[in-house]
Amino acid sequence: MDLLRENRLLNRGFGDTLNKGFEFIVAMAVLGAAGYGLDQLFGIGPVLFVAFMVLAFIGQTARLWYAYEAAMKRHESQLPSRASQARSEGGES
């Protein structure tokens, strides 16, 4: 039964990773296309294209970073040593 649970968790991890990668690429593609279209509309060089791509990259990287931080804090709080610490600290107050 543990093997089935481990396989489910592994498959969920693959799915989550694929989803995050897809969101990262799609956001950059959409903003890049919008920047390219505006560059063509205004007749300027690839200024908005580059600016929107950089903005998309920074935004997606920040989003992934904060999601990772939250996931690690949640994971650490579930560790046996952390859970016993939280219980003992909560009991002293």
Side-chain angles (χ1 to χ4, degrees):
M1 198 59 139
D2 279 337
L3 183 61
L4 181 62
R5 184 176 184 277
E6 288 177 15
N7 282 340
R8 251 189 239 137
L9 289 174
L10 182 64
N11 289 337
R12 185 181 308 149
F14 286 143
D16 289 345
T17 302
L18 183 63
N19 182 33
K20 288 175 184 171
F22 186 75
E23 287 177 4
F24 197 95
I25 296 301
V26 167
M28 290 189 67
V30 167
L31 285 177
Y36 179 78
L38 289 173
D39 282 337
Q40 296 299 314
L41 181 67
F42 296 132
I44 56 177
V47 175
L48 294 176
F49 171 76
V50 171
F52 284 11
M53 290 292 284
V54 168
L55 180 68
F57 181 78
I58 291 171
Q60 288 296 316
T61 302
R63 187 180 68 84
L64 287 173
W65 180 267
Y66 288 121
Y68 175 78
E69 289 280 322
M72 287 300 104
K73 284 182 183 177
R74 198 169 41 251
H75 177 70
E76 286 176 357
S77 70
Q78 294 172 354
L79 292 175
S81 62
R82 299 285 181 152
S84 64
Q85 274 182 339
R87 272 187 249 124
S88 66
E89 288 174 1
E92 294 176 0
S93 324

Coordinates of all heavy atoms in Angstrom, one line a residue:
M1 N 0.8 -1.2 0.0 CA 0.0 0.0 0.0 C 0.9 1.3 0.0 O 0.5 2.2 -0.6 CB -0.9 0.0 1.2 CG -2.1 0.9 1.1 SD -3.0 0.6 -0.4 CE -4.6 0.8 0.2
D2 N 2.0 1.2 0.7 CA 2.9 2.3 0.7 C 3.4 2.7 -0.7 O 3.6 3.8 -1.0 CB 4.1 2.1 1.7 CG 3.7 2.4 3.1 OD1 2.7 3.1 3.3 OD2 4.4 1.9 4.0
L3 N 3.7 1.6 -1.5 CA 4.2 1.8 -2.8 C 3.2 2.6 -3.7 O 3.5 3.5 -4.4 CB 4.5 0.5 -3.5 CG 5.1 0.5 -4.9 CD1 6.4 1.3 -4.8 CD2 5.3 -0.9 -5.4
L4 N 1.9 2.3 -3.5 CA 0.9 3.0 -4.3 C 0.8 4.4 -3.9 O 0.7 5.3 -4.7 CB -0.5 2.3 -4.0 CG -1.7 2.9 -4.7 CD1 -1.5 2.8 -6.2 CD2 -3.0 2.2 -4.3
R5 N 0.9 4.7 -2.6 CA 0.9 6.1 -2.1 C 2.1 6.8 -2.6 O 2.0 8.0 -3.0 CB 0.9 6.1 -0.6 CG 0.8 7.5 0.0 CD 0.6 7.4 1.6 NE 0.5 8.7 2.2 CZ 1.5 9.5 2.4 NH1 2.7 9.2 2.2 NH2 1.2 10.7 3.0
E6 N 3.3 6.2 -2.6 CA 4.5 6.9 -3.0 C 4.4 7.2 -4.5 O 4.8 8.2 -5.0 CB 5.7 6.0 -2.8 CG 6.1 5.9 -1.3 CD 7.3 5.0 -1.0 OE1 7.9 4.6 -2.0 OE2 7.5 4.6 0.1
N7 N 3.8 6.2 -5.3 CA 3.7 6.5 -6.7 C 2.7 7.6 -7.0 O 2.9 8.5 -7.9 CB 3.2 5.2 -7.5 CG 4.3 4.2 -7.7 OD1 5.5 4.6 -7.7 ND2 3.9 3.0 -7.9
R8 N 1.6 7.7 -6.2 CA 0.7 8.8 -6.3 C 1.4 10.2 -6.0 O 1.2 11.1 -6.8 CB -0.5 8.6 -5.4 CG -1.7 8.3 -6.1 CD -2.9 8.3 -5.2 NE -3.5 7.0 -5.2 CZ -3.9 6.3 -4.2 NH1 -3.8 6.8 -3.0 NH2 -4.4 5.1 -4.3
L9 N 2.2 10.2 -5.0 CA 2.9 11.4 -4.6 C 3.9 11.8 -5.7 O 4.0 13.0 -6.1 CB 3.6 11.3 -3.3 CG 2.7 11.2 -2.1 CD1 3.5 11.0 -0.8 CD2 1.9 12.5 -1.9
L10 N 4.6 10.8 -6.2 CA 5.5 11.1 -7.3 C 4.9 11.6 -8.6 O 5.3 12.6 -9.1 CB 6.3 9.8 -7.6 CG 7.4 9.9 -8.7 CD1 8.5 10.9 -8.2 CD2 8.0 8.6 -9.0
N11 N 3.7 11.0 -8.9 CA 3.0 11.5 -10.1 C 2.4 12.9 -9.9 O 2.4 13.7 -10.8 CB 1.9 10.5 -10.5 CG 2.4 9.2 -11.1 OD1 3.6 9.2 -11.6 ND2 1.7 8.1 -10.9
R12 N 2.0 13.2 -8.7 CA 1.5 14.5 -8.4 C 2.6 15.5 -8.5 O 2.4 16.6 -9.0 CB 0.9 14.5 -7.0 CG 0.2 15.9 -6.7 CD -0.4 16.0 -5.3 NE -1.3 14.9 -5.0 CZ -1.4 14.4 -3.8 NH1 -0.8 14.9 -2.8 NH2 -2.3 13.4 -3.6
G13 N 3.8 15.1 -8.1 CA 4.9 16.0 -8.2 C 5.3 16.3 -9.6 O 5.6 17.5 -10.0
F14 N 5.3 15.3 -10.5 CA 5.5 15.5 -11.9 C 4.5 16.4 -12.5 O 4.8 17.3 -13.3 CB 5.5 14.2 -12.7 CG 6.7 13.3 -12.4 CD1 6.6 12.0 -12.4 CD2 8.0 13.9 -12.3 CE1 7.8 11.2 -12.2 CE2 9.1 13.2 -12.1 CZ 9.0 11.8 -12.0
G15 N 3.2 16.2 -12.1 CA 2.1 17.0 -12.7 C 2.2 18.5 -12.2 O 2.0 19.4 -13.0
D16 N 2.6 18.7 -11.0 CA 2.7 20.1 -10.5 C 3.9 20.8 -11.2 O 3.8 21.9 -11.5 CB 3.0 20.0 -9.0 CG 1.7 19.7 -8.2 OD1 0.6 19.7 -8.7 OD2 1.9 19.3 -7.0
T17 N 5.0 20.0 -11.4 CA 6.1 20.6 -12.0 C 5.8 21.0 -13.5 O 6.2 22.1 -14.0 CB 7.3 19.7 -12.0 OG1 7.6 19.4 -10.6 CG2 8.5 20.3 -12.6
L18 N 5.1 20.1 -14.2 CA 4.7 20.4 -15.6 C 3.8 21.6 -15.6 O 3.9 22.4 -16.5 CB 4.1 19.1 -16.2 CG 3.7 19.2 -17.6 CD1 4.9 19.4 -18.5 CD2 2.9 18.0 -18.0
N19 N 2.9 21.7 -14.7 CA 1.9 22.8 -14.7 C 2.7 24.1 -14.4 O 2.4 25.1 -15.1 CB 0.9 22.5 -13.5 CG -0.1 23.6 -13.5 OD1 -0.5 24.2 -14.5 ND2 -0.6 23.9 -12.3
K20 N 3.6 24.1 -13.5 CA 4.3 25.4 -13.2 C 5.2 25.8 -14.4 O 5.3 27.0 -14.7 CB 5.2 25.2 -12.0 CG 4.4 25.2 -10.7 CD 5.2 24.9 -9.5 CE 4.3 24.8 -8.3 NZ 5.0 24.3 -7.1
G21 N 5.8 24.8 -15.1 CA 6.6 25.1 -16.3 C 5.8 25.7 -17.4 O 6.1 26.6 -18.1
F22 N 4.6 25.1 -17.6 CA 3.7 25.5 -18.6 C 3.2 26.9 -18.3 O 3.2 27.8 -19.2 CB 2.5 24.6 -18.7 CG 1.6 24.8 -19.8 CD1 1.9 24.5 -21.1 CD2 0.3 25.4 -19.6 CE1 1.0 24.8 -22.2 CE2 -0.5 25.7 -20.6 CZ -0.2 25.4 -21.9
E23 N 2.8 27.2 -17.1 CA 2.4 28.6 -16.7 C 3.5 29.6 -17.0 O 3.3 30.7 -17.4 CB 2.0 28.6 -15.3 CG 0.7 28.0 -15.0 CD 0.3 28.0 -13.5 OE1 1.1 28.6 -12.7 OE2 -0.7 27.4 -13.2
F24 N 4.7 29.2 -16.6 CA 5.9 30.1 -16.8 C 6.1 30.5 -18.3 O 6.2 31.6 -18.6 CB 7.1 29.4 -16.3 CG 8.3 30.3 -16.0 CD1 8.5 30.8 -14.8 CD2 9.2 30.7 -17.0 CE1 9.6 31.6 -14.5 CE2 10.2 31.5 -16.8 CZ 10.5 32.0 -15.5
I25 N 6.0 29.5 -19.1 CA 6.2 29.7 -20.6 C 5.1 30.4 -21.2 O 5.3 31.4 -22.0 CB 6.5 28.4 -21.3 CG1 7.7 27.7 -20.8 CG2 6.5 28.5 -22.8 CD1 9.0 28.5 -21.0
V26 N 3.8 30.1 -20.8 CA 2.7 30.7 -21.4 C 2.6 32.2 -21.0 O 2.3 33.1 -21.9 CB 1.4 30.0 -21.0 CG1 0.1 30.8 -21.3 CG2 1.3 28.7 -21.7
A27 N 2.9 32.5 -19.8 CA 2.9 33.9 -19.3 C 4.0 34.7 -20.1 O 3.7 35.9 -20.6 CB 3.2 34.1 -17.9
M28 N 5.2 34.2 -20.3 CA 6.2 34.9 -21.1 C 5.8 35.0 -22.6 O 6.0 36.0 -23.2 CB 7.5 34.1 -21.0 CG 8.1 34.3 -19.6 SD 9.8 33.7 -19.5 CE 10.7 34.9 -20.5
A29 N 5.1 34.0 -23.1 CA 4.7 34.0 -24.5 C 3.6 35.1 -24.7 O 3.6 35.8 -25.7 CB 4.2 32.6 -25.0
V30 N 2.6 35.1 -23.8 CA 1.5 36.1 -23.9 C 2.0 37.5 -23.8 O 1.7 38.4 -24.6 CB 0.4 35.7 -22.9 CG1 -0.6 36.9 -22.8 CG2 -0.3 34.4 -23.2
L31 N 2.8 37.7 -22.8 CA 3.4 39.1 -22.6 C 4.3 39.5 -23.8 O 4.4 40.6 -24.2 CB 4.0 39.3 -21.3 CG 3.0 39.4 -20.1 CD1 3.8 39.5 -18.8 CD2 2.1 40.6 -20.3
G32 N 5.1 38.5 -24.2 CA 6.0 38.7 -25.3 C 5.3 39.1 -26.6 O 5.6 40.0 -27.3
A33 N 4.2 38.3 -26.9 CA 3.3 38.6 -28.0 C 2.7 40.0 -27.9 O 2.6 40.7 -28.9 CB 2.3 37.5 -28.2
A34 N 2.2 40.3 -26.7 CA 1.6 41.7 -26.6 C 2.6 42.8 -26.8 O 2.4 43.8 -27.4 CB 1.0 41.8 -25.1
G35 N 3.8 42.6 -26.3 CA 4.9 43.6 -26.5 C 5.3 43.7 -27.9 O 5.5 44.8 -28.5
Y36 N 5.4 42.5 -28.6 CA 5.7 42.6 -30.0 C 4.6 43.3 -30.8 O 4.9 44.1 -31.7 CB 5.9 41.1 -30.6 CG 6.2 41.1 -32.0 CD1 7.5 41.3 -32.5 CD2 5.2 40.7 -33.0 CE1 7.8 41.3 -33.8 CE2 5.5 40.7 -34.3 CZ 6.8 41.0 -34.7 OH 7.1 40.9 -36.1
G37 N 3.3 43.0 -30.5 CA 2.2 43.6 -31.2 C 2.2 45.1 -31.0 O 2.0 45.9 -31.9
L38 N 2.5 45.6 -29.8 CA 2.5 47.0 -29.5 C 3.7 47.7 -30.2 O 3.6 48.8 -30.6 CB 2.6 47.2 -28.0 CG 1.3 46.9 -27.2 CD1 1.5 47.0 -25.7 CD2 0.1 47.9 -27.7
D39 N 4.8 46.9 -30.2 CA 6.0 47.5 -30.9 C 5.7 47.7 -32.4 O 6.0 48.7 -33.0 CB 7.2 46.5 -30.8 CG 7.9 46.6 -29.5 OD1 7.8 47.7 -28.8 OD2 8.6 45.6 -29.1
Q40 N 5.0 46.7 -33.0 CA 4.6 46.9 -34.4 C 3.6 48.0 -34.6 O 3.6 48.7 -35.6 CB 4.0 45.5 -34.9 CG 5.0 44.4 -35.0 CD 6.2 44.7 -35.9 OE1 6.0 45.1 -37.0 NE2 7.4 44.4 -35.4
L41 N 2.7 48.1 -33.7 CA 1.6 49.1 -33.7 C 2.2 50.5 -33.7 O 1.8 51.4 -34.4 CB 0.6 48.9 -32.6 CG -0.6 49.9 -32.6 CD1 -1.5 49.7 -33.8 CD2 -1.3 49.7 -31.3
F42 N 3.2 50.7 -32.8 CA 3.8 52.0 -32.6 C 5.0 52.3 -33.5 O 5.5 53.4 -33.5 CB 4.2 52.3 -31.1 CG 3.0 52.3 -30.2 CD1 3.0 51.5 -29.0 CD2 1.9 53.0 -30.4 CE1 1.9 51.5 -28.2 CE2 0.8 53.0 -29.6 CZ 0.8 52.3 -28.4
G43 N 5.4 51.2 -34.2 CA 6.6 51.4 -35.1 C 7.9 51.6 -34.4 O 8.8 52.3 -34.9
I44 N 8.0 51.1 -33.2 CA 9.3 51.2 -32.5 C 10.0 49.8 -32.5 O 9.5 48.8 -32.9 CB 9.1 51.7 -31.0 CG1 8.1 50.7 -30.3 CG2 8.5 53.1 -31.0 CD1 7.9 51.1 -28.8
G45 N 11.3 49.9 -32.1 CA 12.0 48.6 -32.0 C 11.5 47.7 -31.0 O 10.4 47.9 -30.5
P46 N 12.2 46.6 -30.7 CA 11.7 45.6 -29.8 C 11.7 46.1 -28.3 O 12.0 45.2 -27.4 CB 12.6 44.4 -30.0 CG 13.9 45.0 -30.4 CD 13.5 46.3 -31.2
V47 N 11.5 47.3 -28.1 CA 11.6 47.8 -26.7 C 10.5 47.2 -25.8 O 10.8 46.7 -24.7 CB 11.4 49.4 -26.7 CG1 11.4 49.9 -25.3 CG2 12.5 50.0 -27.5
L48 N 9.2 47.3 -26.2 CA 8.2 46.7 -25.4 C 8.2 45.2 -25.3 O 7.9 44.6 -24.3 CB 6.8 47.2 -25.9 CG 6.6 48.7 -25.7 CD1 5.2 49.1 -26.4 CD2 6.6 49.1 -24.3
F49 N 8.7 44.6 -26.4 CA 8.8 43.1 -26.4 C 9.8 42.7 -25.3 O 9.5 41.8 -24.5 CB 9.3 42.6 -27.7 CG 9.7 41.2 -27.8 CD1 8.7 40.2 -27.8 CD2 11.0 40.8 -27.8 CE1 9.1 38.9 -27.8 CE2 11.4 39.5 -27.8 CZ 10.4 38.5 -27.8
V50 N 10.9 43.3 -25.3 CA 12.0 43.0 -24.3 C 11.5 43.4 -22.9 O 11.7 42.6 -21.9 CB 13.3 43.7 -24.6 CG1 14.3 43.5 -23.5 CG2 13.9 43.2 -25.9
A51 N 10.9 44.5 -22.7 CA 10.4 45.0 -21.4 C 9.3 44.0 -20.9 O 9.4 43.6 -19.7 CB 9.8 46.4 -21.5
F52 N 8.4 43.6 -21.7 CA 7.3 42.7 -21.3 C 7.9 41.3 -21.0 O 7.4 40.6 -20.0 CB 6.2 42.6 -22.3 CG 5.3 43.8 -22.3 CD1 5.6 44.9 -21.6 CD2 4.1 43.7 -23.0 CE1 4.7 46.0 -21.7 CE2 3.2 44.8 -23.1 CZ 3.5 45.9 -22.4
M53 N 8.9 40.8 -21.7 CA 9.5 39.5 -21.5 C 10.2 39.6 -20.1 O 10.1 38.6 -19.3 CB 10.4 39.1 -22.6 CG 9.8 38.8 -23.9 SD 8.8 37.3 -23.8 CE 10.1 36.1 -23.9
V54 N 11.0 40.6 -19.9 CA 11.7 40.8 -18.6 C 10.7 40.8 -17.4 O 10.9 40.2 -16.4 CB 12.6 42.0 -18.6 CG1 13.1 42.3 -17.2 CG2 13.7 41.8 -19.6
L55 N 9.6 41.6 -17.6 CA 8.6 41.7 -16.6 C 7.9 40.3 -16.3 O 7.7 40.0 -15.2 CB 7.5 42.7 -17.0 CG 6.3 42.9 -16.1 CD1 6.9 43.7 -14.8 CD2 5.3 43.8 -16.7
A56 N 7.6 39.6 -17.4 CA 7.1 38.3 -17.2 C 8.0 37.3 -16.5 O 7.6 36.6 -15.6 CB 6.7 37.7 -18.5
F57 N 9.3 37.4 -16.8 CA 10.3 36.5 -16.2 C 10.4 36.9 -14.7 O 10.4 36.0 -13.8 CB 11.6 36.7 -16.9 CG 12.7 35.8 -16.3 CD1 12.7 34.4 -16.6 CD2 13.6 36.3 -15.4 CE1 13.7 33.6 -16.0 CE2 14.6 35.5 -14.8 CZ 14.6 34.2 -15.1
I58 N 10.5 38.1 -14.4 CA 10.6 38.5 -13.0 C 9.4 38.2 -12.2 O 9.5 37.6 -11.1 CB 10.9 40.1 -12.9 CG1 12.3 40.3 -13.4 CG2 10.7 40.5 -11.4 CD1 12.6 41.8 -13.5
G59 N 8.2 38.4 -12.8 CA 7.0 38.1 -12.1 C 6.8 36.6 -11.8 O 6.4 36.1 -10.7
Q60 N 7.1 35.8 -12.8 CA 7.0 34.3 -12.7 C 8.0 33.8 -11.7 O 7.7 32.9 -10.9 CB 7.1 33.6 -14.0 CG 5.9 33.8 -14.9 CD 4.7 33.2 -14.3 OE1 4.7 32.1 -13.8 NE2 3.6 33.9 -14.4
T61 N 9.2 34.3 -11.8 CA 10.3 33.9 -10.8 C 9.9 34.2 -9.4 O 10.0 33.4 -8.5 CB 11.6 34.5 -11.2 OG1 11.9 34.1 -12.5 CG2 12.7 34.0 -10.3
A62 N 9.4 35.4 -9.2 CA 8.9 35.8 -7.8 C 7.8 34.9 -7.3 O 7.8 34.4 -6.2 CB 8.5 37.2 -7.8
R63 N 6.8 34.6 -8.2 CA 5.7 33.8 -7.9 C 6.2 32.4 -7.5 O 5.7 31.8 -6.5 CB 4.7 33.7 -9.0 CG 3.4 33.0 -8.7 CD 2.5 32.9 -9.8 NE 3.0 32.1 -10.9 CZ 2.8 30.8 -10.9 NH1 2.2 30.1 -10.0 NH2 3.3 30.1 -12.0
L64 N 7.1 31.8 -8.3 CA 7.6 30.5 -7.9 C 8.4 30.5 -6.6 O 8.3 29.5 -5.9 CB 8.5 30.0 -9.1 CG 7.8 29.5 -10.4 CD1 8.8 29.2 -11.5 CD2 6.9 28.4 -10.1
W65 N 9.2 31.5 -6.4 CA 10.0 31.6 -5.2 C 9.1 31.6 -4.0 O 9.3 30.9 -3.0 CB 10.8 32.9 -5.2 CG 11.7 33.0 -4.0 CD1 11.4 33.7 -2.9 CD2 13.0 32.5 -3.8 NE1 12.4 33.6 -2.0 CE2 13.4 32.8 -2.5 CE3 13.8 31.7 -4.5 CZ2 14.6 32.4 -2.0 CZ3 15.0 31.3 -4.0 CH2 15.4 31.7 -2.7
Y66 N 8.1 32.5 -4.0 CA 7.2 32.6 -2.8 C 6.4 31.3 -2.6 O 6.1 30.9 -1.5 CB 6.3 33.8 -2.9 CG 7.0 35.1 -2.7 CD1 7.1 36.1 -3.7 CD2 7.8 35.3 -1.5 CE1 7.8 37.3 -3.5 CE2 8.5 36.5 -1.3 CZ 8.5 37.4 -2.3 OH 9.2 38.6 -2.1
A67 N 5.9 30.7 -3.7 CA 5.2 29.4 -3.5 C 6.2 28.3 -3.0 O 5.7 27.5 -2.1 CB 4.7 29.0 -4.9
Y68 N 7.4 28.3 -3.4 CA 8.4 27.4 -2.8 C 8.6 27.6 -1.3 O 8.6 26.7 -0.5 CB 9.7 27.5 -3.6 CG 10.8 26.6 -3.0 CD1 10.9 25.3 -3.3 CD2 11.8 27.2 -2.3 CE1 11.9 24.5 -2.7 CE2 12.8 26.4 -1.7 CZ 12.8 25.1 -2.0 OH 13.8 24.3 -1.4
E69 N 8.8 28.9 -1.0 CA 9.0 29.2 0.4 C 7.8 28.8 1.3 O 8.0 28.2 2.4 CB 9.2 30.7 0.6 CG 10.5 31.3 0.1 CD 11.6 31.1 1.0 OE1 11.4 31.2 2.2 OE2 12.7 30.8 0.5
A70 N 6.6 29.0 0.8 CA 5.4 28.6 1.6 C 5.3 27.1 1.7 O 5.0 26.5 2.7 CB 4.2 29.1 0.9
A71 N 5.7 26.4 0.6 CA 5.6 24.9 0.6 C 6.7 24.3 1.6 O 6.4 23.4 2.3 CB 5.8 24.4 -0.8
M72 N 7.8 24.9 1.6 CA 8.9 24.4 2.5 C 8.5 24.7 4.0 O 8.8 23.9 4.8 CB 10.2 25.1 2.2 CG 10.8 24.5 0.9 SD 11.2 22.8 0.9 CE 9.8 22.2 -0.1
K73 N 7.9 25.8 4.3 CA 7.5 26.1 5.6 C 6.4 25.1 6.1 O 6.4 24.6 7.2 CB 7.0 27.6 5.8 CG 8.1 28.6 5.8 CD 7.6 30.0 6.0 CE 8.7 31.0 5.9 NZ 8.3 32.3 6.0
R74 N 5.5 24.8 5.2 CA 4.4 23.9 5.4 C 5.0 22.5 5.7 O 4.6 21.8 6.6 CB 3.4 23.9 4.3 CG 2.1 23.3 4.6 CD 1.1 23.5 3.5 NE 1.6 23.4 2.1 CZ 1.8 24.4 1.3 NH1 1.5 25.7 1.6 NH2 2.2 24.2 0.0
H75 N 6.0 22.1 4.8 CA 6.6 20.8 5.0 C 7.4 20.7 6.3 O 7.4 19.7 7.0 CB 7.6 20.6 3.8 CG 8.3 19.3 3.8 ND1 7.7 18.1 3.7 CD2 9.7 19.1 4.0 CE1 8.7 17.1 3.8 NE2 9.8 17.7 4.0
E76 N 8.2 21.8 6.6 CA 9.0 21.8 7.8 C 8.1 21.7 9.1 O 8.4 21.1 10.1 CB 9.9 23.0 7.9 CG 11.0 22.9 7.0 CD 11.9 24.2 7.0 OE1 11.5 25.2 7.7 OE2 12.9 24.2 6.3
S77 N 6.9 22.3 9.0 CA 6.0 22.3 10.2 C 5.4 20.9 10.4 O 5.0 20.6 11.5 CB 4.9 23.3 10.0 OG 4.0 22.9 9.0
Q78 N 5.5 20.1 9.4 CA 4.9 18.7 9.5 C 6.0 17.7 9.9 O 5.6 16.5 10.2 CB 4.3 18.3 8.2 CG 3.0 19.1 7.9 CD 2.5 18.8 6.5 OE1 3.1 18.0 5.7 NE2 1.4 19.4 6.2
L79 N 7.2 18.1 10.0 CA 8.3 17.2 10.4 C 8.1 16.8 11.9 O 7.7 17.6 12.7 CB 9.7 17.8 10.2 CG 10.1 18.0 8.8 CD1 11.4 18.8 8.7 CD2 10.2 16.7 8.0
P80 N 8.4 15.6 12.2 CA 8.2 15.1 13.6 C 8.9 16.0 14.6 O 8.3 16.3 15.7 CB 8.7 13.7 13.6 CG 8.7 13.3 12.2 CD 8.9 14.5 11.4
S81 N 10.1 16.4 14.4 CA 10.8 17.2 15.3 C 10.2 18.6 15.5 O 10.1 19.1 16.6 CB 12.3 17.4 14.9 OG 12.4 18.0 13.7
R82 N 9.7 19.2 14.4 CA 9.1 20.5 14.5 C 7.7 20.4 15.1 O 7.3 21.3 15.9 CB 8.9 21.1 13.1 CG 10.2 21.3 12.3 CD 10.9 22.5 12.9 NE 12.1 22.7 12.1 CZ 12.7 23.8 11.9 NH1 12.2 24.9 12.4 NH2 13.8 23.9 11.2
A83 N 7.0 19.3 14.9 CA 5.7 19.2 15.4 C 5.8 19.0 17.0 O 5.0 19.6 17.7 CB 4.9 18.0 14.8
S84 N 6.7 18.3 17.4 CA 6.9 18.1 18.9 C 7.4 19.4 19.5 O 6.9 19.7 20.7 CB 7.8 17.0 19.2 OG 9.1 17.3 18.7
Q85 N 8.2 20.2 18.8 CA 8.6 21.5 19.4 C 7.4 22.4 19.5 O 7.3 23.1 20.5 CB 9.6 22.1 18.4 CG 11.1 21.7 18.7 CD 12.0 22.5 17.7 OE1 11.6 23.0 16.7 NE2 13.3 22.5 18.1
A86 N 6.6 22.5 18.5 CA 5.4 23.4 18.5 C 4.5 23.0 19.6 O 3.9 23.8 20.3 CB 4.7 23.3 17.1
R87 N 4.3 21.7 19.8 CA 3.4 21.2 20.9 C 4.0 21.6 22.3 O 3.3 22.0 23.2 CB 3.2 19.7 20.8 CG 2.0 19.4 19.9 CD 1.7 17.9 20.0 NE 2.1 17.3 18.7 CZ 2.9 16.4 18.5 NH1 3.5 15.8 19.5 NH2 3.2 16.0 17.3
S88 N 5.3 21.4 22.4 CA 5.9 21.7 23.7 C 6.0 23.2 24.0 O 5.8 23.7 25.1 CB 7.3 21.1 23.8 OG 8.2 21.8 22.9
E89 N 6.2 24.0 23.0 CA 6.2 25.5 23.1 C 4.8 26.0 23.4 O 4.6 26.9 24.1 CB 6.7 26.1 21.9 CG 8.2 26.0 21.7 CD 8.8 26.5 20.4 OE1 8.0 27.0 19.6 OE2 10.0 26.4 20.2
G90 N 3.8 25.4 22.7 CA 2.4 25.8 22.9 C 1.9 25.4 24.3 O 1.1 26.1 24.9
G91 N 2.4 24.3 24.9 CA 2.0 23.9 26.2 C 2.5 24.8 27.3 O 2.0 24.9 28.4
E92 N 3.7 25.4 27.1 CA 4.3 26.2 28.1 C 3.7 27.6 28.3 O 3.7 28.2 29.4 CB 5.8 26.5 27.7 CG 6.6 25.2 27.8 CD 8.1 25.5 27.3 OE1 8.4 26.6 27.0 OE2 8.8 24.5 27.3
S93 N 3.0 28.1 27.3 CA 2.4 29.4 27.4 C 1.2 29.5 28.2 O 0.5 28.6 28.4 CB 2.0 30.0 26.0 OG 2.8 29.6 25.0

